[in-house]
Amino acid sequence: MPSHRYRSVHDRVPSPVPEIERTWPSRRIEQAPLWVPVDLRDGNQALAEPMDPARKRRMFDLFVTMGFKEIEVGYPSASRTDFDFVRHLATSGAVPDDVTPVVFTPARRDLIERTFASIEGMPRAVVHLYTATGPAWRDVVLRQDRDGVRGLILDGAADVARLAGDRPGVRFEFSPETFNFTEPEYALEVCDAVTELWDASPDRPVVLNLPATVEIATPNVYADQIEFMHRNVARRDAVILSVHPHNDRGTGVACAELAVLAGAQRVEGCLFGNGERTGNVDLVTLALNLHAQGVDPRVDFADIDEIRRTVEHCNRLPVHERHPYGGDLVYTAFSGTHQDAISKGMAHHAARAAELGVPAEQAPWEVPYLPIDPADVGRGYEAVIRVNSQSGKGGIAYLLRTGYGLELPRRLQIEFSRVVQQATDGSGEEITAAELWELFRAEYVDRAGPVALTGWRTSHTGPGRHDFTGVLRVDGREEEYTGSGNGPLAALADALAAAGVKVDVLQYTEHATESGHDSPAVAYAECRVDGVASWGAGRDTSVLTASVQAVLSAVNRAKAG
């Protein structure tokens, strides 16, 4: 590897590493910082397909439900979509009284003016001004020396102050982008100049946001940089010190945690760590790390699967099965020794709760291999013990895969295991592959119900547009309906909505069960039907037919309760 091409952060000239007698290693985090999700701006900029207004609104509503009090809502000067979304929030009443939107702008007068136009009518807002200050950005991108960049920043800050006027609900935020590359004394000089110009005061504090725009060092270096600013910044009682770590070295979470030890009061990041390159710091992991240490994270993760489904829908990116706290497999033990320890630990926990005279969900948690109680985030215990115990007796998923070519999605495996357990608990006998297939087919493939479809057809009517027409029977009433969408299933969902059945396809996969062009295909669809999440499956030589069957099966299973 040509490692000689790269310099250690300690060998850079000028060096971004400050001289400091650090105190952060001996501190502990005893309360949560202010969390600020930036999924709607920084995360959105990193998506191959940025969010449309509907997905933006769904993500915003999720943040409100979870309890975030500051939410970065967009970069209104960057696109018409972002501007219109901020205007929607300003005029629709969607922002609760205890939530403050944050809008992002570079230090350029016309863009600052457009940013202020977007928040007109909002009773509260934070205007977030940024400019890169690192040497490479000054020299290569901005082509300005230190004084030139400082002047550019102060000109932008003056425009922000002028446009804000005396509006009491508007507060200010400044980011010296690439702070972690910047000479410490220069970052301090620029930040102090900005807080002076904005006349920061305890009753109208300024947010100084110090990004690790691209990770370049071990997390202790970032902590030193933050403690340097924490100790030396002017008007400290009028400054909210904020951090915005990225994850290029894979240590974004550690950077944020050490930065809080070093004096940071506010953390910007994304749910499950979406963002440019390797992502922004993950607020889910940060907050639940505190929860696991007995510190209230002040954000509600009681239904982490719904949070994950919403994030996956809005970002159109999957959350990895091993992602801390939220992945499908993070509470599942495949090792027999782990499973045995968890089983004994759960029994001990139940007995201890009984001794204390409290419900199990309120008893102190000390179960081997499980850092938190899965029930805290809305997970059941089937995925921890019972599903894996079935796998130990032959494996539901293995038998269906080897016997019938089925590759069940992980969440469907967990759900189907409960169906199997209900069918076998009475006899206690081991179930065969043929019996598993018959049970699966009856539950998910051949599932009849109040919604039926006959005589349907689809057509591709233009770029990104499909139409679906079919005769739908809903609760005994039969009629032809038509729908349209960006794909056949979206068009089917639109037709179902016209028939009075609201369907969102949350997850869809399909595959062939054998080799050869005439092999049957199997499709799996997880849908939200009138607010109820449900799985369905379809099997046919036509992939399209199988996918339609899967959605209808999910609909009928949801309708059956």
Side-chain angles (χ1 to χ4, degrees):
M1 297 294 293
S3 302
H4 63 278
R5 301 177 60 214
Y6 305 97
R7 288 179 298 169
S8 160
V9 66
H10 302 283
D11 297 332
R12 291 172 185 256
V13 179
S15 172
V17 183
E19 292 292 333
I20 188 168
E21 292 184 13
R22 61 189 61 83
T23 62
W24 59 261
S26 60
R27 295 178 184 156
R28 64 177 64 183
I29 302 175
E30 297 180 330
Q31 66 178 24
L34 174 63
W35 309 115
V36 182
V38 297
D39 304 68
L40 293 171
R41 192 275 302 174
D42 202 350
N44 190 52
Q45 288 177 203
L47 298 176
E49 182 183 346
M51 293 181 228
D52 56 28
R55 285 187 287 153
K56 278 178 169 282
R57 177 59 191 270
R58 183 169 171 184
M59 183 78 87
F60 178 82
D61 289 344
L62 172 68
F63 295 148
V64 170
T65 300
M66 293 176 67
F68 289 104
K69 299 306 179 186
E70 275 189 24
I71 302 170
E72 191 172 74
V73 296
Y75 190 160
S77 65
S79 72
R80 184 73 195 183
T81 300
D82 267 30
F83 183 89
D84 288 348
F85 180 69
V86 177
R87 292 305 304 145
H88 163 73
L89 295 179
T91 59
S92 66
V95 183
D97 291 341
D98 60 347
V99 171
T100 301
V102 182
V103 286
F104 190 74
T105 180
R108 214 177 83 187
R109 176 168 297 176
D110 57 329
L111 303 183
I112 294 170
E113 289 173 347
R114 184 154 176 79
T115 300
F116 271 90
S118 74
I119 62 171
E120 186 64 37
M122 279 187 176
R124 297 162 309 285
V126 173
V127 176
H128 182 176
L129 181 76
Y130 82 94
T131 298
T133 55
W137 279 258
R138 295 195 310 259
D139 297 342
V140 177
V141 181
L142 299 174
R143 297 185 179 181
Q144 301 259 15
D145 61 13
R146 285 170 44 150
D147 288 342
V149 171
R150 184 179 185 276
L152 186 156
I153 291 168
L154 292 180
D155 286 346
D159 288 333
V160 168
R162 172 179 57 82
L163 290 165
D166 58 359
R167 290 170 55 178
V170 176
R171 294 190 291 109
F172 306 141
E173 176 177 355
F174 171 63
S175 285
E177 192 189 5
T178 67
F179 160 80
N180 61 321
F181 285 84
T182 304
E183 306 92 322
E185 75 282 357
Y186 180 61
L188 182 66
E189 173 194 331
V190 169
C191 287
D192 283 348
V194 170
T195 56
E196 181 180 2
L197 190 153
W198 281 342
D199 194 22
S201 63
D203 60 344
R204 196 179 185 182
V206 165
V207 177
L208 289 180
N209 186 55
L210 308 175
T213 308
V214 181
E215 273 198 305
I216 58 168
T218 49
N220 60 293
V221 173
Y222 189 51
D224 285 348
Q225 293 171 322
I226 300 304
E227 184 163 1
F228 173 82
M229 296 294 287
H230 168 61
R231 286 193 185 185
N232 294 289
V233 72
R235 306 186 184 216
R236 184 65 186 90
D237 61 345
V239 166
I240 298 171
L241 210 59
S242 175
V243 292
H244 181 114
H246 279 254
N247 197 45
D248 298 270
R249 291 169 52 92
T251 57
V253 166
C255 279
E257 291 181 325
L258 298 192
V260 171
L261 292 174
Q265 301 150 287
R266 181 179 182 271
V267 177
E268 297 184 351
C270 290
L271 296 185
F272 299 107
N274 178 50
E276 293 164 311
R277 303 178 309 279
T278 57
N280 290 282
V281 70
D282 173 22
L283 296 185
V284 174
T285 302
L286 283 171
L288 288 174
N289 280 353
L290 289 185
H291 172 71
Q293 295 295 310
V295 177
D296 182 0
R298 298 181 183 174
V299 185
D300 186 1
F301 291 95
D303 190 352
I304 201 164
D305 287 337
E306 177 59 22
I307 293 168
R308 187 193 64 230
R309 281 193 292 264
T310 299
V311 171
E312 288 178 331
H313 169 79
C314 293
N315 289 340
R316 296 187 177 171
L317 290 172
V319 172
H320 196 278
E321 292 178 339
R322 297 292 183 190
H323 196 101
Y325 300 108
D328 278 336
L329 299 179
V330 296
Y331 305 106
T332 302
F334 290 102
S335 161
T337 54
H338 288 201
Q339 187 177 22
D340 179 64
I342 290 170
S343 178
K344 291 174 180 175
M346 295 292 289
H348 174 76
H349 177 73
R352 187 179 183 192
E355 289 174 5
L356 296 172
V358 299
E361 62 270 19
Q362 295 179 15
W365 181 257
E366 291 182 3
V367 174
Y369 298 111
L370 294 176
I372 68 169
D373 184 347
D376 289 351
V377 292
R379 290 283 179 88
Y381 297 117
E382 293 87 349
V384 176
I385 298 173
R386 297 188 69 185
V387 167
N388 204 52
S389 69
Q390 292 290 338
S391 298
K393 294 177 182 178
I396 295 170
Y398 176 80
L399 292 176
L400 287 177
R401 181 174 67 252
T402 56
Y404 295 90
L406 302 188
E407 296 283 353
L408 272 60
R410 181 64 189 172
R411 291 203 289 273
L412 179 55
Q413 290 180 32
I414 294 170
E415 182 179 301
F416 181 51
S417 72
R418 293 195 289 268
V419 176
V420 174
Q421 288 168 347
Q422 289 171 3
T424 59
D425 277 350
S427 65
E429 295 177 359
E430 187 161 344
I431 193 167
T432 67
E435 290 168 333
L436 277 175
W437 164 241
E438 289 302 321
L439 191 61
F440 182 83
R441 185 167 66 178
E443 180 68 24
Y444 294 96
V445 180
D446 296 335
R447 188 61 178 254
V451 180
L453 175 67
T454 59
W456 58 273
R457 64 186 183 277
T458 65
S459 58
H460 184 200
T461 56
R465 179 184 171 86
H466 293 256
D467 291 340
F468 185 100
T469 301
V471 177
L472 282 165
R473 187 182 72 247
V474 180
D475 297 325
R477 189 183 71 256
E478 192 166 282
E479 188 174 340
E480 183 176 277
Y481 292 91
T482 298
S484 61
N486 60 7
L489 293 189
L492 169 59
D494 193 42
L496 285 165
V501 182
K502 181 173 175 52
V503 179
D504 290 319
V505 179
L506 305 175
Q507 181 176 342
Y508 169 78
T509 59
E510 52 83 17
H511 62 82
T513 58
E514 303 168 5
S515 60
H517 67 279
D518 59 348
S519 166
V522 176
Y524 313 94
E526 184 185 26
C527 301
R528 183 184 291 106
V529 184
D530 295 331
V532 177
S534 176
W535 279 94
R539 186 175 186 270
D540 196 271
T541 53
S542 163
V543 173
L544 179 58
T545 299
S547 65
V548 170
Q549 290 174 351
V551 171
L552 288 175
S553 171
V555 168
N556 282 318
R557 292 188 69 248
K559 291 285 188 182

